[in-house]
């Protein structure tokens, strides 16, 4: 019972529309798992159920061995479950550095940084700069967060989640709409999370892109898990062709 995440027979529906139809899988600590599937197949809804923004109609979610099926989002993030939202949660008027420092402070007692001269402030600042160096944002540390490019903002979101102390990262299309260069930076950051033994679930469209850093790929189709295998086997599966191109192409 050492799995990081355990999803059992998860169902979710809105009125009489069923969106997730019995999804089960396990994720071990340190795994990087890609999630793919056609538009509307339920990928974001699955993340909402894992992070507490949707309450499943049946089934269960366990995180680090504890059941969290009905726990509100905030409780989950305190336990180390990090849902990364796009353009959400960043304080645009604060500096890039302050944004990271705030995430670090959020897991400390307010007294540790209450006085400006507290030693903890210097330690936090150093840690925040370390995180920013990891994503080559150290030269932007003093800029307002609002001045970052879309791709840099995305890196900052992931770094804030890291600074907040997350062990499990849920990334929903982190490279959507970013430049090819920034796409490489996002890939690099995911590889870094992996090297830090963090667990990562990443929703992406481009299987060629995610297979660079995912050891395993889960495929959803109409709210069901239809494949859960190595990138090589998923790529060569006739099921994948059927889902994306219809049965004639298989
Ligand atoms: N709150 C909701 N109310 C009604 N329909 C929803 C709701 N959330 C998701 N859906 C529907 O569920 C399906 C799956 O959506 P989503 O999880 O966003 O898919 P994906 O992320 O794979 O593109 C879509 O058909 C979407 O319109
Ligand atoms: Mg989605």
């Amino acid at each position: 019972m050492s799995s990081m995440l355990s999803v059992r027979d998860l169902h979710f529906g809105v009125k009489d529309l069923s969106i997730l139809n019995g999804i089960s899988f396990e994720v071990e600590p340190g795994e990087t798992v890609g999630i793919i599937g056609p538009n509307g197949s339920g990928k974001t809804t699955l993340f909402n159920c894992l992070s507490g923004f949707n309450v499943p109609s049946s089934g269960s979610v366990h995180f680090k061995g504890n059941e969290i099926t009905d726990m509100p989002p905030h409780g989950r993030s305190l336990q180390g479950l990090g849902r990364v939202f796009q353009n959400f949660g960043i304080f645009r008027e604060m500096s890039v550095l302050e944004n990271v420092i705030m995430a670090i402070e959020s897991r400390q007692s307010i007294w540790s940084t209450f006085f400006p001269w507290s030693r903890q402030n210097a330690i936090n600042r150093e840690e925040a700069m370390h995180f920013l160096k990891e994503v080559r944002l150290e030269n932007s540390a003093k800029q307002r967060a609002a001045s970052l490019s879309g791709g840099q903002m995305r890196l900052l979101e992931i770094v804030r989640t890291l600074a907040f102390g997350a062990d499990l990262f849920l990334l929903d299309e982190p490279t959507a709409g970013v430049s090819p260069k920034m796409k490489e930076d996002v890939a690099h950051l995911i590889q870094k999370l992996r090297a830090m033994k963090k667990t990562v679930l990443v929703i992406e469209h481009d299987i060629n892109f995610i297979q660079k850093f995912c050891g395993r790929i889960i495929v959803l189709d109409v709210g069901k898990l239809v494949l859960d295998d190595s990138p090589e086997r998923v790529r060569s599966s006739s099921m994948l062709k059927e889902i994306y191109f219809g049965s004639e192409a298989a």
Side-chain angles (χ1 to χ4, degrees):
M1 195 51 213
S2 68
S3 92
M4 180 60 96
L5 183 71
S6 172
V7 178
R8 290 182 209 143
D9 201 22
L10 206 65
H11 288 256
F12 176 78
V14 178
K15 297 192 181 124
D16 49 8
L17 176 71
S18 68
I19 297 170
L20 299 180
N21 303 300
I23 291 189
S24 303
F25 63 95
E26 303 266 330
V27 179
E28 299 305 317
E31 266 194 292
T32 309
V33 182
I35 299 177
I36 64 171
N39 277 332
S41 55
K43 304 180 296 295
T44 297
T45 305
L46 172 64
F47 271 18
N48 285 341
C49 288
L50 301 181
S51 51
F53 293 91
N54 285 153
V55 177
S57 34
S58 65
S60 67
V61 180
H62 286 73
F63 178 56
K64 296 178 184 171
N66 304 314
E67 176 156 14
I68 59 162
T69 317
D70 300 315
M71 186 184 283
H74 184 64
R76 299 183 197 214
S77 64
L78 288 176
Q79 291 197 11
L81 195 154
R83 171 78 183 266
V84 181
F85 283 98
Q86 268 137 44
N87 307 318
F88 178 88
I90 285 185
F91 298 94
R92 298 173 61 85
E93 299 309 315
M94 287 189 187
S95 75
V96 170
L97 181 64
E98 284 164 338
N99 265 280
V100 181
I101 289 174
M102 285 207 30
I104 294 171
E105 284 180 355
S106 69
R107 57 180 152 89
Q108 297 168 342
S109 131
I110 60 160
W111 298 110
S112 61
T113 53
F114 187 77
F115 300 106
W117 57 85
S118 303
R119 168 134 176 75
Q120 193 62 46
N121 284 307
I123 295 170
N124 289 354
R125 206 181 162 79
E126 207 165 292
E127 190 183 0
M129 279 309 287
H130 169 78
F131 284 134
L132 289 175
K133 279 193 191 114
E134 293 281 314
V135 290
R136 289 183 274 143
L137 279 178
E138 74 271 28
N139 295 328
S140 309
K142 290 188 175 149
Q143 289 174 26
R144 280 167 65 235
S147 70
L148 295 178
S149 73
Q152 288 176 321
M153 198 93 78
R154 218 153 280 184
L155 294 176
L156 179 60
E157 298 265 9
I158 301 174
V159 164
R160 284 187 80 247
T161 306
L162 185 62
F164 193 72
D167 303 309
L168 171 65
F169 288 72
L170 303 180
L171 308 176
D172 193 346
E173 302 191 19
T175 67
V178 310
S179 69
K181 155 94 182 54
M182 196 50 79
K183 208 167 162 178
E184 288 312 309
D185 283 353
V186 172
H188 190 72
L189 180 53
I190 295 174
Q191 264 147 355
K192 244 175 207 163
L193 293 176
R194 195 179 174 157
M196 293 168 85
K197 307 265 189 285
K198 301 289 181 179
T199 310
V200 182
L201 297 192
V202 53
I203 296 174
E204 267 295 336
H205 276 301
D206 184 352
I207 189 168
N208 296 319
F209 176 70
I210 50 169
Q211 73 169 6
K212 290 184 202 161
F213 46 80
C214 291
R216 170 181 168 198
I217 292 180
I218 284 174
V219 184
L220 297 191
D221 187 34
V222 280
K224 277 187 186 297
L225 187 158
V226 292
L227 286 169
D228 180 353
D229 216 328
S230 68
E232 297 73 31
R233 278 207 284 262
V234 166
R235 279 178 70 103
S236 60
S237 157
S238 59
M239 175 83 90
L240 192 73
K241 298 184 188 90
E242 211 165 293
I243 291 166
Y244 281 95
F245 306 110
S247 48
E248 291 91 83

